[in-house]
């Protein structure tokens, strides 16, 4: 891995700033007892800042892999920093005001902030797409690394795009007349209002679907799949099969396929208005099929090639006749 000194500096600096904001937000969670839409008011900046630390540091590293298009990649990284900064400033300002940042159209000012966030999200997604295209076109010597980076990005992009579904009017908002007079437009939850019973820490709904679950899981394929490969490399000295680059490549293929299937499953689950932690029989059956496919894929990946397996020779096993 390249030295961190060669990483995209604005992305690294922004990640450090987000780490500091996460610390401030953690203090806010302790000392500020305000609640907004059923969650502690500092929970959103805390979760977003932690997420941006991981997201931007990963992109800062990935940009060092480019063998061509470095200037375009550098400007795309600048765009990610600028749009992420605008989003986090708006989220923090709204927390200080005691107002929600997402979906808030209660006043002209709130609506302007929400529209600005919508534009920054589009630009951030487009900048990430540019980086993904550059990395797909670049030549990465190690095939497992190439697949981990590209697979993680190509899963993260649809995962991030799920955020656009949250901006659409919910069923209850569509049923109500007068969109222009509505205080909110869009929702995280499906089938239930935002702000109901939720999971600790994540805040995801426990009574209905929640699009934040596949959004979060999908976006962080960007980190988790490359981290899996790093773990395989670190474990290679202890486990002989992992020393084979072909085995690591096959395991990453299984991970990319399994992760993509998981994101598709929990997206389908959320869109059906089903809580993540209360799956029905159909969802459990689909999850079982994915798990079985991944287990089979891992077993196949770890099997030695046919040429390396010991062959049985029945004639040689026969005892010689005296």
């Amino acid at each position: 891995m390249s030295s961190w000194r060669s990483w995209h500096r604005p992305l690294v600096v922004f990640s450090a700033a987000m780490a500091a904001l996460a610390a401030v937000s953690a203090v806010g969670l302790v000392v500020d007892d305000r609640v907004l839409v059923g969650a502690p008011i500092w929970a959103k900046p805390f979760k977003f800042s932690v997420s941006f630390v991981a997201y931007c540091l990963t992109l800062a590293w990935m940009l060092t892999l480019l063998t061509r298009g470095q200037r375009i990649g550098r400007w795309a990284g600048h765009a990610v920093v600028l749009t992420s900064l605008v989003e986090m400033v708006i989220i923090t300002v709204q927390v200080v005001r005691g107002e929600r940042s997402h979906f808030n159209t209660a006043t002209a000012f709130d609506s302007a902030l929400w529209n600005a966030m919508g534009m920054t999200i589009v630009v951030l997604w487009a900048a990430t797409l540019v980086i993904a295209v550059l990395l797909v076109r670049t030549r990465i010597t190690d095939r497992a690394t190439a697949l981990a980076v590209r697979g993680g990005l190509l899963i993260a992009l649809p995962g991030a795009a799920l955020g656009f579904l949250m901006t659409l009017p919910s069923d209850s908002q569509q049923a109500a007349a007068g969109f222009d007079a509505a205080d909110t437009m869009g929702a995280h939850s499906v089938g239930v209002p935002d702000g109901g019973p939720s999971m600790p820490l994540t805040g995801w709904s426990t009574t209905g679907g929640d699009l934040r679950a596949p959004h979060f899981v999908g976006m962080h394929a960007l980190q988790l799949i490359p981290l899996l490969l790093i773990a395989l490399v670190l474990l290679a000295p202890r486990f002989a099969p992992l020393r084979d680059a072909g085995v690591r490549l096959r395991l990453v293929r299984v991970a990319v396929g399994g992760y993509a299937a998981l994101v598709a499953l929990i997206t389908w689950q959320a869109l059906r208005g089903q809580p993540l932690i209360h799956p029905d029989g159909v969802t459990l059956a689909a999850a079982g099929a994915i798990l079985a496919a991944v287990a089979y894929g891992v077993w196949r990946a770890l099997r030695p090639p046919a040429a390396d397996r010991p062959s049985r020779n029945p004639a040689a096993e026969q005892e010689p006749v005296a």
Side-chain angles (χ1 to χ4, degrees):
M1 181 180 291
S2 58
S3 168
W4 67 270
R5 296 179 185 277
S6 65
W7 293 13
H8 189 281
R9 184 166 297 178
L11 282 168
V12 173
V13 171
F14 179 72
S15 298
M18 289 300 98
L21 179 58
V24 171
S25 300
V27 173
L29 287 169
V30 175
V31 302
D32 191 340
D33 59 0
R34 289 180 296 166
V35 175
L36 185 64
V37 198
I41 199 166
W42 284 96
K44 186 180 291 289
F46 177 77
K47 291 187 290 186
F48 269 68
S49 55
V50 170
S51 181
F52 272 128
V53 169
Y55 191 82
C56 291
L57 278 181
T58 306
L59 287 180
W61 163 66
M62 287 182 174
L63 285 170
T64 66
L65 302 174
L66 294 179
T67 55
R68 55 181 176 175
Q70 290 97 332
R71 178 175 295 182
I72 297 173
R74 187 163 57 251
W75 280 105
H78 294 343
V80 170
V81 171
L82 180 61
T83 53
S84 302
L85 177 62
V86 170
E87 183 169 358
M88 290 307 301
V89 167
I90 293 173
I91 288 173
T92 307
V93 165
Q94 289 294 72
V95 165
V96 173
R97 294 180 65 230
E99 302 289 342
R100 64 187 299 178
S101 52
H102 287 69
F103 320 126
N104 189 350
T105 56
T107 68
F109 181 69
D110 292 323
S111 183
L113 291 182
W114 171 230
N115 289 334
M117 289 183 70
M119 289 186 287
T120 62
I121 292 168
V122 171
V123 176
L124 189 154
W125 188 89
T128 305
L129 175 62
V130 169
I131 295 172
V133 171
L134 291 173
L135 285 166
V136 167
R137 297 184 61 194
T138 203
R139 186 175 184 276
I140 301 175
T141 305
D142 183 72
R143 294 175 65 196
T145 299
L147 180 60
V149 168
R150 294 165 182 165
L153 270 166
L154 294 177
I155 295 172
L157 283 166
L162 289 172
F164 299 126
L165 291 180
M166 303 181 204
T167 65
L168 301 176
S170 65
D171 292 342
S172 60
Q173 291 165 351
Q174 290 177 4
F179 278 1
D180 293 339
D183 288 343
T184 58
M185 189 57 57
H188 299 132
S189 303
V190 179
V192 295
D194 283 350
S198 61
M199 297 168 57
L201 188 61
T202 64
W204 299 338
S205 176
T206 57
T207 56
D210 199 315
L211 289 167
R212 288 174 295 181
H215 179 59
F216 176 86
V217 174
M219 280 187 62
H220 290 291
L222 191 71
Q223 296 87 40
L224 293 177
I225 295 177
L227 282 174
L228 169 66
L229 177 59
I230 291 171
L232 295 177
V233 172
L234 292 176
L235 289 171
R238 292 177 175 268
F239 299 96
L242 298 181
R243 298 171 198 163
D244 185 341
V247 170
R248 295 197 298 271
L249 175 61
R250 293 194 293 272
L251 288 172
V252 172
R253 283 175 181 160
V254 173
V256 170
Y259 203 108
L262 173 65
V263 173
L265 174 63
I266 61 177
T267 301
W268 177 55
Q269 182 183 9
L271 290 173
R272 289 187 292 138
Q274 188 178 113
L276 180 69
I277 59 173
H278 298 302
D280 61 12
V282 176
T283 303
L284 286 173
I290 293 171
L291 183 61
V294 169
Y296 177 73
V298 170
W299 175 73
R300 287 294 302 267
L302 293 172
R303 290 185 72 195
D308 295 341
R309 294 178 208 150
S311 58
R312 293 188 59 189
N313 187 343
E317 294 176 358
Q318 292 178 359
E319 293 185 4
V321 179

